[in-house]
Amino acid sequence: GVELGLGRDREILLSAQELSAPSSLEHVLAREIFGALGASGDGQPPSQLDVPRLREVLEQAQRSMQSSPEAWLNHTSAGRLWQIGSAHAHAAAEASARVYDALQAQAHLNDRTRLPHGHSPRPPPPSRSRARASEEAAVEALHACAQLHSAVRLPAAEATAFHALATETAKSL
């Protein structure tokens, strides 16, 4: 499954906001990462992790830390916040890559069973158990895709590619 919980990071991000002046860059960074992770202050489960927004927040913070380090009051805290955001962006990318690979494997299986006319003899019909296993794998891949979709907002191009693959996979069922 796609498990992208916040765990202890939620408390770190909240306390960073509480302990810093609202106008400080650390406060803004903690608030922006918190929002991009889909977290809410009232203990609700997180909504979607917004990958494009998170990447943008991290890039801007990194540029700012390099170009005007003096504007950051607490480099240790800022670095830690950045690492938290970065780790979640990485986890989301890994989860989406796993789901994409599973969908692609299914789409690839479909392509192999649909040979173009006049090419090589048809493979022997798959055994019932193999057909069932392949169907279960397709359902599993689509379920993981739906989970990912509800947990993560991907950049538009990635989302489009996912949709196309999921549609292809669903056709095989």
Side-chain angles (χ1 to χ4, degrees), residues 83-105:
Q83 300 251 253
I84 287 172
S86 186
H88 284 276
H90 189 70
E94 282 189 339
S96 76
R98 274 197 310 276
V99 173
Y100 192 83
D101 288 348
L103 284 172
Q104 213 164 24

Side-chain angles (χ1 to χ4, degrees), residues 12 22 33 37 45 49-50 53 64 69 85 94 97 115 117 125 128 141 143 146:
I12 296 171
I33 290 174
L37 293 179
L49 185 158
D50 189 334
R53 181 175 165 202
S64 168
E94 282 189 339
L115 290 172
H117 297 301
R128 278 191 95 78
H143 179 65

Side-chain angles (χ1 to χ4, degrees), residues 45-85:
S47 60
Q48 275 190 319
L49 185 158
D50 189 334
V51 173
R53 181 175 165 202
L54 182 56
R55 285 181 187 162
E56 193 181 317
V57 167
L58 293 170
E59 282 166 19
Q60 284 177 350
Q62 194 168 30
R63 278 199 302 271
S64 168
M65 285 177 201
Q66 285 164 352
S67 62
S68 46
E70 70 290 346
W72 295 80
L73 304 174
N74 185 334
H75 286 254
T76 312
S77 167
R80 192 165 176 209
L81 295 170
W82 193 90
Q83 300 251 253
I84 287 172

